[in-house]
Amino acid sequence: MGLSKTIWSNPTEYLRTQKPEDPVLFFAPSIAQAAARHFIDGFPGMVTYAVKSNPGEAMVENLVAAGITGFDCASPHEIDLIRRLAPGTAIHYNNPVRARHEIAHAVSRKVKSYSVDSHSELQKLIEMVPAEGCEISVRFKLPVAGAAYNFGAKFGATVEVAAELLKTVAAAGFIPSVTFHPGTQCTDPHAWEAYIREAATIARMAGVKIARLNVGGGFPNHRLAAVVPQLDETFSLIDRVATEAFGADRPALVCEPGRALCGDAFAIADRVKALRDDAHVFLNDGVYGALNELPMIGVIDRHSVLSPEGALRKGAPVPRVVFGPTCDSVDRLPGEIMLPDDLAEGDYLVWEASGSYSFATNTRFNGFGDLQLVTVLSLTL
Ligand SMILES: *Cc1c(COP(=O)(O)O)cnc(C)c1O
């Protein structure tokens, strides 16, 4: 997905004049670049981008233009995407479980940083990856607090295993580092604190001075009107706790935000296909489309309804059941959604802050999901 050829002023101008029947993903490059600058200026270390959150080419190119110099990749496909769009940047291959052909691919593309959370996968790396100048980050987990869902259920070694792995990494001649991922949409800055302190404990248990600590992603974007992301507070907490926990052995810090860099730079516009017998709203998009994430981490309340002529619907909010277009009954948004009572067939429902895990997980199930990208100067309706 590249930039669209025409650049529109805002979503309203496009919707009013083009009246699209398929879902539209509006992208404001200036917002993506500002988010990247905010991280680069505020985070006390290296900022990398978690490609999986939105692998759009225009997204990646705008981050590079804003000064992002590293990318967190999870697959050979993502590695090749970054080598093509952002040659010369650092790639951190931070999917802790890899097939041997995937490791071979990364080595051939000169990837110099890998994460690991088990003895078996570390053995594969030791066998296949030249140690010289190459970093292996040991990923550990803790019981979660403050995240929208539990990432530790799949990845991360316990503290004890992490200390053993770290010793083995150092003994094998790799650059020893530690990493964790606190979850996603962590609105409480303290989500990072216990992890950073535990990382220092792991290094002490292993007797290894670590080169870098990667504090993961999970930084929030602005999904709910009343919950504004506290990025600066989070950055200063990470900085303070890293110094307290590691003292003179403080490692260089790395972060790998996904949604916090791409989320607020996009809005999705879905058309109301039908208001069935005046009750149920049917959209041309749903949980198999660009709204895939909503059942997992909650509905964005920053949304508006526009008439086909581009006028904002201002009716009193009423709760509505909202369905997607497929014939599958799970294709329903969670709960009921407050929508203006003058909403009508043919209107557009615009979801703000929808850049992460939307286009990336959109499917063509049932023949729907023909999502187009439209570039805008501003996302203000
Ligand atoms: C998904 C993921 C990220 C990005 O998470 P966000 O919540 O989008 O910031 C970062 N690091 C790892 C290891 C991940 O799996």
Side-chain angles (χ1 to χ4, degrees), residues 50 52-53 72 94 139 151 181 183-185 216-219 256-260 356-357:
K52 76 166 187 276
S53 61
D72 162 31
N94 284 350
R139 178 156 166 191
F151 265 80
H181 178 54
T184 197
Q185 189 67 13
F219 302 86
E256 48 190 20
R259 73 169 62 253
S356 56
Y357 311 103

Side-chain angles (χ1 to χ4, degrees), residues 186-209:
C186 301
T187 47
D188 180 359
H190 289 95
W192 281 264
E193 178 161 7
Y195 282 97
I196 295 172
R197 295 193 190 281
E198 208 61 35
T201 303
I202 290 167
R204 273 193 295 272
M205 283 166 69
V208 171
K209 183 172 184 312

Side-chain angles (χ1 to χ4, degrees), residues 144-299:
V144 279
Y149 60 79
N150 182 2
F151 265 80
K154 183 162 180 184
F155 292 129
T158 61
V159 168
E160 293 70 27
V161 172
E164 293 166 18
L165 293 170
L166 192 58
K167 261 193 224 167
T168 311
V169 165
F174 290 90
I175 299 166
S177 291
V178 170
T179 186
F180 60 85
H181 178 54
T184 197
Q185 189 67 13
C186 301
T187 47
D188 180 359
H190 289 95
W192 281 264
E193 178 161 7
Y195 282 97
I196 295 172
R197 295 193 190 281
E198 208 61 35
T201 303
I202 290 167
R204 273 193 295 272
M205 283 166 69
V208 171
K209 183 172 184 312
I210 61 171
R212 300 205 289 185
L213 174 64
N214 183 330
V215 301
F219 302 86
N221 78 304
H222 193 186
R223 298 167 54 85
L224 299 179
V227 187
V228 179
Q230 301 178 55
L231 288 181
D232 295 324
E233 291 77 359
T234 306
F235 297 155
S236 55
L237 180 138
I238 289 171
D239 193 31
R240 174 175 60 75
V241 175
T243 297
E244 284 172 16
F246 286 92
D249 288 340
R250 176 173 156 147
L253 299 180
V254 182
C255 66
E256 48 190 20
R259 73 169 62 253
L261 293 181
C262 63
D264 293 345
F266 294 77
I268 293 168
D270 295 330
R271 194 155 213 192
V272 176
K273 297 176 67 172
L275 187 54
R276 189 172 64 182
D277 289 348
D278 229 15
H280 297 154
V281 176
F282 278 72
L283 299 178
N284 60 357
D285 188 15
V287 307
Y288 290 101
L291 307 180
N292 172 279
E293 194 190 56
L294 302 193
M296 280 177 278
I297 78 161
V299 173

Side-chain angles (χ1 to χ4, degrees), residues 10 21 23 51 54 60 80 109 116 148 156 163 203 258 289 298-299 315 331 376:
N10 64 6
E21 294 295 353
V51 175
N54 181 324
V60 171
D80 288 350
R109 298 299 187 279
V116 77
V299 173
D331 191 5
V376 288

